[in-house]
Amino acid sequence: TDYNIIIDVLPSVTINDLHEIAKRMVAAGFGKECSHVYSSLRREFLEESLSRLGLKKLSIEEVHKMPWQDLEDEIERWIKAANVSLRILFPSERRLCDRVFFGFSSASDLSFMEVCRGSTIQLLNFADAVAIGSRSPERLFKILDVFETLRDLMPEFESVFSDQYCVVLRNEAITIWKRLGEAIRGIFMELENLIRRDPAKAAVPGGGLHPIARYVMNYLRAACRSCQTLEQVFDENVVPSKGVSSSSSSSLSVQMDWIMELLESNLEAKSKIYKDSALSSVFMMNNGRYIV
């Protein structure tokens, strides 16, 4: 929470000297040149900081080709880097720009945007790659982590990137946040398809619990641990900084009900495999009880 952690290590005489240089260059008509030199050096510091946090520069293709276990680790590193960047590094750079270019708000805003743009795009591109990647059901929980991180950092995006030069970055963050929500809804659609495609093959011995029933219900139970976020996802009208509306829970409830109806229909088709009607009924009772 100490936004001045970066500035405090810089001698005040150095910052004052930089301010005098900036003031003279702007007055002489070299404001853009001054911003360019300043930004290129501070940008190197930010890039080095992200690297120290373990964040790699990955293309969308590299993210999509990465084994899921490796991508899970990358997401953990991304969450840490995003939090440190938006809560400490970027606010510190904002304050430093304001001190170096004090009295020249346009030059300060331009310099700040140039300093942070590359690192911000790197963070957003990774989140975007996750959003447009595979929608297999097992990816839900890590994608929820990325969604929640970006949502929780949206106030920081709005406060740090509030000037005219940074509005594009702020809007891009909102767009990718919404795209992550679309990905989560797509995962639930894929879960529905998985249930529909699960074939009625050999009967479960003794009319016992079918693996599809165990998988789907355990999946839904695990998903309900993130019910507040999922309510927000299924209420597409919610904006990041506003939270969940009072009516959003019904959308999630409808989704859950629909998946369980699909599961019951799938199990009914499987119950017809049994030649013994009594065993067929036992199968439905066992699986129905598990669902309940």
Side-chain angles (χ1 to χ4, degrees), residues 27-287:
F30 295 102
K32 287 186 178 180
E33 288 81 358
C34 183
S35 290
H36 175 73
V37 174
Y38 171 88
S39 301
S40 65
L41 294 171
R42 294 307 302 174
R43 188 161 54 240
E44 287 178 15
F45 167 77
L46 270 186
E47 290 173 355
E48 183 183 344
S49 297
L50 289 181
S51 178
R52 285 181 177 180
L53 289 167
L55 195 68
K56 301 173 185 173
K57 287 187 176 181
L58 298 168
S59 66
I60 290 177
E61 292 77 15
E62 288 173 323
V63 172
H64 290 172
K65 290 178 181 178
M66 192 177 293
W68 177 237
Q69 186 64 54
D70 293 344
L71 184 54
E72 283 185 309
D73 295 337
E74 243 1 272
I75 287 173
E76 287 300 316
R77 285 190 281 269
W78 177 88
I79 290 171
K80 180 170 70 172
N83 275 289
V84 172
S85 296
L86 269 298
R87 298 185 194 279
I88 297 177
L89 294 176
F90 293 167
S92 292
E93 292 300 328
R94 175 78 264 184
R95 284 164 174 75
L96 187 58
C97 278
D98 289 345
R99 289 180 62 178
V100 171
F101 294 95
F102 181 75
F104 308 101
S105 59
S106 181
S108 178
D109 292 345
L110 177 63
S111 298
F112 175 70
M113 187 273 289
E114 289 293 343
V115 169
C116 296
R117 180 174 57 182
S119 296
T120 305
I121 290 173
Q122 182 182 351
L123 289 166
L124 292 178
N125 280 352
F126 179 84
D128 198 27
V130 171
I132 63 177
S134 168
R135 297 188 174 180
S136 58
E138 68 268 15
R139 297 194 171 207
L140 171 67
F141 304 102
K142 279 298 176 185
I143 295 179
L144 275 170
D145 288 344
V146 177
F147 177 91
E148 289 172 342
T149 299
L150 208 51
R151 176 199 64 196
D152 295 344
L153 289 174
M154 210 55 70
E156 278 71 27
F157 272 102
E158 291 176 354
S159 63
V160 174
F161 297 131
S162 58
D163 63 75
Q164 58 176 333
Y165 294 107
C166 293
V167 67
V168 174
L169 296 175
R170 189 170 73 247
N171 290 340
E172 184 67 8
I174 294 172
T175 298
I176 292 171
W177 178 80
K178 290 181 177 179
R179 202 169 287 152
L180 285 161
E182 292 169 6
I184 292 167
R185 290 190 292 273
I187 286 173
F188 275 85
M189 290 178 64
E190 187 56 35
L191 179 63
E192 294 172 16
N193 292 333
L194 184 150
I195 297 169
R196 288 191 185 97
R197 292 194 301 261
D198 193 65
K201 292 182 179 177
V204 177
L209 185 63
H210 196 281
I212 189 70
R214 180 184 287 109
Y215 173 81
V216 172
M217 295 313 300
N218 288 359
Y219 187 92
L220 293 182
R221 184 170 61 179
C224 282
R225 294 178 195 141
S226 303
C227 63
Q228 187 173 6
T229 299
L230 287 172
E231 286 169 3
Q232 189 175 19
V233 167
F234 284 101
D235 184 3
E236 300 178 49
N237 297 318
V238 174
V239 293
S241 57
K242 299 295 184 182
V244 183
S245 71
S246 59
S247 63
S248 61
S249 59
S250 61
S251 300
L252 178 61
S253 299
V254 168
Q255 181 69 33
M256 294 286 191
D257 285 344
W258 171 240
I259 289 173
M260 285 188 281
E261 282 182 23
L262 282 175
L263 177 60
E264 287 176 345
S265 297
N266 181 279
L267 291 168
E268 283 176 10
K270 287 176 167 59
S271 72
K272 292 178 171 54
I273 301 174
Y274 293 95
K275 295 177 181 178
D276 184 344
S277 61
L279 202 55
S280 173
S281 297
V282 169
F283 173 80
M284 287 305 296
M285 284 190 289
N286 280 328
N287 285 273

Side-chain angles (χ1 to χ4, degrees), residues 4-19:
N4 293 317
I5 189 171
I6 307 298
I7 300 176
D8 288 345
V9 301
L10 297 173
S12 58
V13 64
T14 301
I15 297 176
N16 292 337
D17 287 346
L18 289 171
H19 170 62

